[in-house]
Amino acid sequence: MRNVFAETLFEEAIGNPKIFVVAADISPSGSMAKFGLEYPDRVINVGVAEQSMIGICAGLAIKGCQPFAYTIATFSLYRPFEMVRDDLCYQNLPVTVVGMGAGAIYSTLGGTHQAIEDIAVASALPNMQIIAPCDPLECAEAVRWCARQRNGPVYLRLGKSGEPTLTKDAASWRFGKIRKIRAGSDICILTYGVIAGMAVNVADSLTGLGYSVAVVSVHTMKPLDRRGIASILTHYPHVVVIEEHVPQGGLAAQTKQIAWECKARCRLNTFTLQDEFIHNYGTRDEFLAAHGLSVEWISAAVALDARAFVA
């Protein structure tokens, strides 16, 4: 996903001289390095100065440019939070804050590098828009949209590398609208971001047990497609949310709120990270499993609940 982000942004920059990249102590590689070689005046690395990164982006936006603030997610959003709030959101400037390697991608580097509450933090900010693509194809669509939009600030939540392609046969990507990436009639899984790969594997597992399972990408987390989610909640007998985020302020909490508001009668299961820092050194899959997120555990829990609900 990181490479697709860089490639797509470079393609957009060729025809748009107003696109700038302001990075904070992150080494350019691939197309990002090419961007710097081709357009050295439009790539600025401020070093370990994330507050300056956001401030420079704000200044560029005020001058009519389309800047991207680019670094690891915890450092693009948390460290310069005051500047994101006051320089970008308060002034409603079209700056894309790129959170690269969000969620548990940096599982081996501990809580300082894990952006596990970023959706809640970013969504609390007025004027902030949030996109969390689930695969490289959605990433490309999201970057193109960010490079052309003038609505205001965007938090772009990205994976890092190796994410599978999930949306090749899906309907067209539209900002602010949920997107069905697999059809089904018994159970619908709502998900977003790179954990969508796990959600698809859960769907495969449940299909093997005889269920017809749909998977929906909620790639735009703000503004959330509340009408689309309400339609899912009232259409399907069983809805499942899988997300790589703490319980507060993410898709699970908001889906529960929508379910209450639309008086949904479906069975609703939510699977999130725990509300704690779990000190687990290992791969991302091992980290997620420590939080209770695995294909085996989710599939078994959903199947058990589905049987109980029918009974």
Side-chain angles (χ1 to χ4, degrees):
M1 194 177 290
R2 176 177 58 182
N3 291 340
V4 170
F5 163 77
E7 291 163 5
T8 307
L9 188 59
F10 178 72
E11 292 169 2
E12 289 291 314
I14 292 173
N16 184 355
K18 294 185 177 182
I19 292 177
F20 282 73
V21 174
V22 184
D25 194 39
I26 191 167
S27 299
S29 61
S31 292
M32 192 62 72
K34 185 177 180 181
F35 192 135
L37 291 173
E38 293 285 337
Y39 309 109
D41 293 338
R42 289 198 271 151
V43 177
I44 305 166
N45 195 327
V46 301
V48 187
E50 291 82 2
Q51 293 90 341
S52 297
M53 174 183 70
I54 297 301
I56 291 169
C57 282
L60 288 166
I62 288 172
K63 290 296 185 179
C65 297
Q66 199 81 17
F68 284 70
Y70 177 64
T71 192
I72 295 172
T74 51
F75 305 127
S76 69
L77 183 63
Y78 299 166
R79 185 171 290 172
F81 180 77
E82 181 183 0
M83 289 70 193
V84 172
R85 179 183 185 270
D86 295 346
D87 293 356
L88 305 187
C89 294
Y90 187 64
Q91 300 184 88
N92 199 29
L93 298 176
V95 174
T96 300
V97 178
V98 182
M100 194 273 292
I105 297 295
Y106 286 100
S107 59
T108 58
L109 298 183
T112 58
H113 284 62
Q114 295 160 4
I116 61 175
E117 64 282 271
D118 53 336
I119 298 294
V121 171
S123 63
L125 293 169
N127 293 326
M128 181 62 85
Q129 305 162 100
I130 304 173
I131 308 176
C134 74
D135 72 348
L137 295 180
E138 278 199 347
C139 179
E141 295 282 4
V143 173
R144 281 190 283 267
W145 187 86
C146 289
R148 302 171 189 180
Q149 68 89 28
R150 302 297 293 176
N151 299 348
V154 182
Y155 176 57
L156 180 59
R157 189 190 210 236
L158 298 181
K160 187 180 177 185
S161 61
E163 293 85 10
T165 297
L166 306 173
T167 61
K168 182 178 179 181
D169 299 318
S172 299
W173 186 92
R174 293 175 59 196
F175 173 77
K177 298 296 180 182
I178 62 173
R179 185 188 195 200
K180 186 173 289 185
I181 60 179
R182 177 176 294 192
S185 57
D186 297 327
I187 300 170
C188 182
I189 300 175
L190 300 174
T191 190
Y192 63 93
V194 299
I195 203 170
M198 179 185 291
V200 168
N201 290 335
V202 169
D204 289 338
S205 177
L206 292 170
T207 298
L209 296 176
Y211 297 99
S212 176
V213 186
V215 180
V216 170
S217 171
V218 189
H219 51 76
T220 304
M221 283 299 296
K222 187 183 177 185
L224 190 65
D225 185 2
R226 301 180 69 86
R227 181 175 296 180
I229 292 175
S231 177
I232 294 292
L233 291 166
T234 54
H235 178 76
Y236 284 88
H238 196 163
V239 177
V240 176
V241 177
I242 301 175
E243 67 176 328
E244 195 169 334
H245 189 272
V246 296
Q248 297 84 0
L251 181 60
Q254 294 186 77
T255 299
K256 290 176 181 177
Q257 181 184 42
I258 296 169
W260 174 264
E261 292 173 351
C262 71
K263 298 179 174 60
R265 301 178 65 84
C266 65
R267 189 63 179 167
L268 178 59
N269 300 126
T270 61
F271 300 90
T272 70
L273 298 175
Q274 302 303 305
D275 183 22
E276 60 180 304
F277 291 108
I278 294 180
H279 303 289
N280 179 85
Y281 182 83
T283 66
R284 174 173 169 268
D285 285 343
E286 290 169 337
F287 178 86
L288 293 177
H291 276 269
L293 295 176
S294 70
V295 173
E296 294 76 19
W297 165 250
I298 295 173
S299 300
V302 172
L304 180 64
D305 211 32
R307 289 193 294 270
F309 188 56
V310 170

